[in-house]
Each structure stands twice: as C-alpha cells, then as structure tokens.
Amino acid sequence: MKTLSSTLLICSSLVATFVADAHEMQTNLKGAVQAATSDEFYNLDRNPPVETDNYVALSDDASYTYQFRMDLSTPLSMDRFDGTAAIDKCIGWDNGVSPTNFTWYGISFQLPVDAKGRGGGWNTAPAQPLKEDGYVQMFNNTAEGVAEYNFTTSADSPAIRARINNGLLWDTFTFDFTDGSNYVEQQSRQSVSCIIRQSDDGTRRTYTTVVNPILTLSLERLSGPAPTPAPEPSSSSMAGSVFAITALASSAFLLL
C-alpha cells in the first residue's frame, strides 16, 4: 500500500483552492454542493454559497482518473420490536445534543501521495473547525454531493483517510475495484442518543440511539490506463510449437 501524504482539508479560513504537485495536494474545501432532492436541507438558516475549483494541470504519467464524492444522511433508528422510530420514546436530551438535527464539522481527507487534482465543487459548512459554524442537517434527511472532487493517481485501489468532526483518529477507506465495477463506496457512522428512562433524582439514566448519521464516501473510476497490447510471438516460440505438434503426431503414428 502506498504511503498517504496528500491531504485534502476542509478549511474555512483560507481561500478556496486546490493545489497539487507530485508530492502533496493541499485542498481547502470552502463548501459543498447541496442535493436538489433535499428540500428540507435547503430551508436551513445557514446556506453557504457553492464554490468550485478550476482544472489543475496533470502529469503525463497519471494512470487512473476518479471522481470523489461525499454524501451525508441522518436516518432515524427504528425499534426492532414494534417498528416505530426510537426517537418517539425520548424523554430528554443531554446538554449540547439537538433533538432535531446533527452538525458535521472539521472534516478533512487525505488522498494518495501522487494524487493530482482536476477540480470540483463544494460547500463551506463542513469546513468549519467549530461545531457552531458547521453543516447543520435535519434528522431523517439526505444531502447528496456535499463535496465532489476529481483527481488522478497511479493507484488502482486508492486508500483515502478521513477525520470527521475533529476526531482524534483518522479512518482509512480502501476502494477496491477488483470486482470489475467502476463505482465503490464506503461509510462512516456516527451516533445520536437520547434519554428514555431516568431515576427520580436524575442520577441514573438509560439511553438509546435514535439517529445514526452516515458519511458516505464514494469513488467512481472515470478512466484508466490503456490495456497493454499482447506481445507478438517470437520465431523461437513458433518453432517450439511446430516441433511439439510434430513430435506428438509422430507418437500417435507409432501407437497405431
């Protein structure tokens, strides 16, 4: 596996631009393209402008071209016994936990070391380092194409590392195209819980998960290297084939 050092940071304090060379690609995502199918998402108070990045020149030896995409969703957890939404059983919420929405913030990615940028479109909210400035998504909502970015790399199974909501650890996602498909996606799940039971004095509480926010990363392989042509058979290999056939024929004749 190749060493990963090209970092794609969603950062709001810098000018939106993608910079790529043979060793490092520093990406400052200033927003994310919002899904036209997510009407509820568009009605949020915070609706940052969509920004795009222009084409960046590629090296001649780039082998594969991919489209990277990030989607966000906040599906409700359902009770496995009665089939109702778990959120309907909530009697309280911890401080700082919203009963209606989830906030994405401080998201960054690390691409393969030789990645070369080809531009994309994105939205400012997931870039923010502070939760209060982040990307607010209502529960039971899907936002597609929150970030899109094209790049090239020599890796036929690229590995992308991600840090979500300023987490301390980086998750690694490997996109394996060995099954012949040109599209692969990976997911990272978060968790939102509420209080469903509480002692009279408030010292003991029982929690349940009501929403599992999902960050979906996908890669679509747009193009790959041209197939290597089969080598022409040499005269020596042809001679060997003819000799083998002749010998086999002679043996058959003798068996008769």
Side-chain angles (χ1 to χ4, degrees), residues 10 16 19 47 88-89 92 96-97 105 112 116-117 122-123 125 131-132 134-135 137 141 161 171 179 189 202 227 250:
I10 304 180
V19 180
N47 186 17
D88 294 339
K89 298 178 174 61
V97 178
Y105 66 101
K116 290 287 185 177
W122 54 91
N123 181 292
K131 182 177 179 179
E132 55 265 32
Y135 189 94
Q137 185 174 23
N141 174 266
R161 299 178 67 203
D171 296 322
D179 62 354
R189 294 175 178 265
S250 300

Side-chain angles (χ1 to χ4, degrees), residues 46-175:
R46 196 180 291 112
N47 186 17
V50 171
E51 298 189 11
T52 58
D53 177 58
N54 294 325
Y55 176 85
V56 177
L58 303 175
S59 61
D60 294 334
D61 59 354
S63 297
Y64 296 91
T65 300
Y66 299 98
Q67 181 179 76
F68 166 89
R69 194 176 84 171
M70 179 176 71
D71 302 331
L72 302 174
S73 59
T74 51
L76 298 179
S77 297
M78 308 304 291
D79 190 296
R80 61 178 179 175
F81 298 108
D82 59 22
T84 61
I87 197 170
D88 294 339
K89 298 178 174 61
C90 296
I91 63 171
W93 301 80
D94 283 345
N95 292 335
V97 178
S98 170
T100 61
N101 60 69
F102 181 80
T103 302
W104 303 90
Y105 66 101
I107 298 177
S108 56
F109 300 103
Q110 195 173 66
L111 300 180
V113 64
D114 63 347
K116 290 287 185 177
R118 296 195 67 177
W122 54 91
N123 181 292
T124 59
Q128 312 303 320
L130 300 179
K131 182 177 179 179
E132 55 265 32
D133 298 324
Y135 189 94
V136 179
Q137 185 174 23
M138 303 300 293
F139 290 162
N140 203 29
N141 174 266
T142 297
E144 298 177 345
V146 178
E148 294 181 346
Y149 186 62
N150 290 3
F151 68 94
T152 61
T153 175
S154 62
D156 56 359
S157 296
I160 295 178
R161 299 178 67 203
R163 188 172 66 173
I164 303 166
N165 287 16
N166 282 343
L168 296 178
L169 302 178
W170 291 74
D171 296 322
T172 300
F173 303 92
T174 301
F175 297 83

Side-chain angles (χ1 to χ4, degrees), residues 228-234:
T228 304
E232 292 291 336
S234 64

